[in-house]
Amino acid sequence: MSDRILVVEDEPKIANLLRRGLLYEGYAVDVAADGESGLQMARDNPPDLVILDVMLPGIDGLEVCRRLRAASDVPIVMLTAKDSIPDRVAGLDSGADGYISKPFSFEEMLARIRALLRRVRVTTTSREEIRFGDLTLNYATREVLRGNRRLDLTAKEFDVLQLFMQHPRQVLTRDIIYERIWDYDFGGESNIIEVYVRYLRTKLESNGEPRLLQTVRGVGYVLREE
């Protein structure tokens, strides 16, 4: 069965370009011209990936992204004419997995789509559970336990923690984390990684447990026991 892609884009030329190109590549495609229709289509026929324009009539793309992310872990690629760092950060903070600016190369879009779908398949076909110390992460249920205590994580917090648990005691640079989690290179312009590490530490250590996510100054972060 073909992967289904939902395109939410109000510019007819771009929407038609994406629809024709993706159909030619073998994907099933749904197209919505506004945020409300996009949300309805996502509910009625859940997609495997969403291409989402930021500037939409009615409900804007950032709000659509937040609502989609609250309901599922579907990969979301934000598509917009805006190319400033704050706009990228706003999209990713809303739950997007990647960001492409107009005008864009269709080949780049295809590469991004393939990478995100491949990442989802790897996650869903891997063994169901991984452990580190008293930390347990279950892929199938997306449940995380610290000892017997269940952690209430957002979808993106889960993804970040999963990356660290898949590479225990290995220092992960900021560039690697951006590439694996957000599929975008921010260079040194954003503190979004620091924000998510702080969120995770708060939840991991809420009962006074020892710190597991360690900072390696000037390099990145590592999951290891002190």
Side-chain angles (χ1 to χ4, degrees), residues 45-210:
N45 199 0
D48 297 293
L49 182 140
V50 178
I51 299 172
L52 176 62
D53 188 26
V54 171
M55 303 298 290
L56 292 171
I59 305 172
D60 69 22
L62 296 178
E63 180 60 25
V64 171
C65 185
R66 281 189 283 267
R67 296 188 191 184
L68 288 172
R69 182 55 68 236
S72 79
D73 297 320
V74 62
I76 301 171
V77 179
M78 301 296 285
L79 180 63
T80 181
K82 294 183 176 181
D83 193 28
S84 71
I85 293 298
D87 290 321
R88 296 180 198 171
V89 172
L92 297 176
D93 276 343
S94 299
D97 298 279
Y99 204 105
I100 292 183
S101 299
K102 303 175 186 175
F104 61 90
S105 157
F106 185 69
E107 287 72 22
E108 179 189 3
M109 175 65 79
L110 278 178
R112 189 68 55 87
I113 289 169
R114 287 192 293 264
L116 287 171
L117 290 175
R118 186 165 56 245
R119 190 171 77 193
V120 170
R121 291 191 191 98
V122 168
T123 299
T124 55
T125 58
S126 297
R127 58 194 176 93
E128 287 191 357
E129 193 172 275
I130 52 176
R131 296 173 183 245
F132 179 82
D134 62 350
L135 202 56
T136 304
L137 181 146
N138 189 294
Y139 292 122
T141 63
R142 293 186 72 84
E143 183 179 58
V144 177
L145 299 174
R146 181 93 196 247
N148 294 320
R149 180 170 64 87
R150 185 178 184 277
L151 306 186
D152 184 18
L153 302 185
T154 66
K156 194 60 68 178
E157 288 168 355
F158 182 94
D159 291 342
V160 174
L161 182 60
Q162 175 182 301
L163 177 63
F164 281 106
M165 291 188 69
Q166 288 172 331
H167 302 86
R169 303 181 186 87
Q170 177 182 336
V171 178
L172 302 181
T173 66
R174 298 172 86 253
D175 288 343
I176 287 174
I177 299 170
Y178 281 133
E179 179 185 345
R180 301 288 179 84
I181 301 300
W182 285 277
D183 197 30
Y184 203 95
D185 178 16
F186 274 87
E189 302 290 343
S190 167
N191 70 338
I192 194 169
I193 293 175
E194 287 77 8
V195 169
Y196 274 90
V197 167
R198 185 168 68 247
Y199 291 161
L200 283 171
R201 283 173 172 167
T202 298
K203 294 180 179 182
L204 288 167
E205 302 166 17
S206 65
N207 277 6
E209 296 94 338

Side-chain angles (χ1 to χ4, degrees), residues 7-22 29-33 79 102 104:
V7 177
V8 188
E9 169 61 67
D10 65 323
E11 295 185 43
K13 275 190 176 180
I14 295 177
N16 288 332
L17 168 70
L18 288 169
R19 183 183 63 81
R20 290 196 306 269
L22 293 170
V29 184
D30 294 318
V31 178
L79 180 63
K102 303 175 186 175
F104 61 90

